[in-house]
Structures are given as structure tokens and as C-alpha cells.
Amino acid sequence: MLTQLIYASRVTPGLGNADIRRILEVSQSNNRQTGITGALCFTGRVFLQCLEGHRKEVNATYHRIVQDSRHTEPTLLVFEEISRRQFTQWAMGYLGFTAANRDLFLRYSPTAELDPYGLTAASVRMLFAEAVDAARVLTGTEA
Ligand code: FAD
């Protein structure tokens, strides 16, 4: 059964670019094997991640992720069945804290800085949908 899971978490202080690169490398390698696709947003203070794939694999991955000391307060925002994937080409896409992404995050955040804990499930879904659309425009390909 195809499932989508979105959660937010707080970045453990001191986490740097090398840590983020390592998280992405391991994620992309694992997710390719388990058939998981998705994207990871990073603002410097919070993570917002979308995982989609088989319910069993999405669950197992999320359970590993919540135990990771590189972040705290993981909070589930969306967990639902979906009929199609959004991130067909992304084993784990990355939305870093660039000017364009800051604009995108702000559009959906009630506060000046992205606070995913305060977002509705609908806003979180729309944020990721918009990120996929922007990537299609940039690359001229399906996300
Ligand atoms: P191991 O690497 O042996 O991990 C053992 C334990 O140490 C685990 O609890 C692990 O979480 C933790 N750990 C590993 N490396 C470090 C480190 N450098 N610092 C602190 N703790 C560490 N994994 C995926 O497979 N798919 C994803 O999409 C994914 N997304 C992630 C998103 C975020 C924001 C974070 C923080 C991690 C993510 N991970 C993801 C990594 C995940 O948490 C596991 O580290 C990874 O899946 C390997 O787990 P393991 O127990 O098999 O291996």
C-alpha cells in the first residue's frame, strides 16, 4: 500500500553541512533499496521531511529516523494512503536554506521563520507539491 509520511523535527545544535551531506548520502542509498522517495527540507533549525513508499518500509524508516540523535522532537504531521507518488525521481531530494526555498517556506509559515509544527497538514502537502513543481521548471524533468 502506497503511503506518505511527513514529519517535523528540531536540528540538534552544532549540526553542520558535512552532517547533512552524510544524512543525504545514507538516506539516498537506503531509500533506493527500499523503494522510498521523498524530500528533506532543512532551515538550519528544523527539518521537514516527506517519505513515500510501501507502508511497511515507510514505517520502518521513520522508526529508525526518530531514534537519530542528530535531531529532536520528531512530530508526525501527515500519515496517509496516497494513490500516486509526488517524488518519483527523488530517493531523497534536498531543499536547503537558499533564498528561493526561504521564500517557499515563508509562504506557508505563519511565522517569519519556517515553523513546521504550526503548519496544517494541507499547508505541508502544498509546500512539498510546490517544491516538486519548482524542481520540474528548473530541471525540465519530472521530480
Ligand atoms: P547506523 O548508521 O548503524 O545507525 C545506528 C544509530 O546511530 C541509529 O540510531 C542512527 O540513527 C544513529 N546515527 C547514525 N549516524 C549518526 C551520526 N553521525 N550521528 C548521530 N547519530 C547517528 N535514513 C534513511 O534510510 N532514509 C531517510 O530518508 C532518512 N532520513 C533522515 C532524515 C533525518 C533528518 C535524519 C537525522 C536522519 C535520516 N536518516 C534516514 C538516517 C537514519 O536516522 C539512520 O541513521 C539510517 O537510516 C541508518 O540507520 P541504521 O540504524 O541502519 O544504521
Side-chain angles (χ1 to χ4, degrees):
M1 183 179 306
L2 201 50
T3 301
Q4 184 183 67
L5 183 155
I6 303 176
Y7 74 89
S9 63
R10 298 197 192 282
V11 176
T12 298
L15 211 72
N17 288 338
D19 299 300
I20 301 295
R21 267 198 301 278
R22 181 79 194 126
I23 289 171
L24 285 171
E25 274 168 21
V26 170
S27 301
Q28 287 163 355
S29 164
N30 287 349
N31 295 352
R32 270 190 203 102
Q33 288 177 36
T34 51
I36 288 180
T37 48
L40 177 68
C41 301
F42 171 71
T43 69
R45 287 177 193 265
V46 291
F47 288 115
L48 179 64
Q49 188 176 26
C50 176
L51 302 167
E52 51 186 26
H54 195 292
R55 183 169 59 191
K56 182 167 163 269
E57 300 295 353
V58 168
N59 252 302
T61 301
Y62 182 64
H63 281 286
R64 279 203 315 277
I65 292 173
V66 295
Q67 288 170 28
D68 198 311
S69 61
R70 290 169 286 188
H71 60 171
T72 58
E73 291 180 57
T75 301
L76 205 49
L77 305 178
V78 174
F79 185 62
E80 64 185 4
E81 288 170 25
I82 49 172
S83 46
R84 63 182 286 271
R85 291 174 192 258
Q86 266 185 327
F87 304 98
T88 48
Q89 302 286 313
W90 295 1
M92 189 44 60
Y94 179 59
L95 300 167
F97 206 39
T98 61
N101 288 340
R102 253 198 309 273
D103 265 15
L104 171 68
F105 297 158
L106 248 186
R107 227 168 312 163
Y108 291 96
S109 186
T111 48
E113 209 172 316
L114 177 66
D115 173 18
Y117 295 92
L119 297 188
T120 63
S123 290
V124 171
R125 283 193 212 95
M126 281 164 66
L127 187 157
F128 279 111
E130 216 180 305
V132 172
D133 283 347
R136 276 200 196 108
V137 171
L138 282 176
T139 63
T141 60
E142 283 259 315

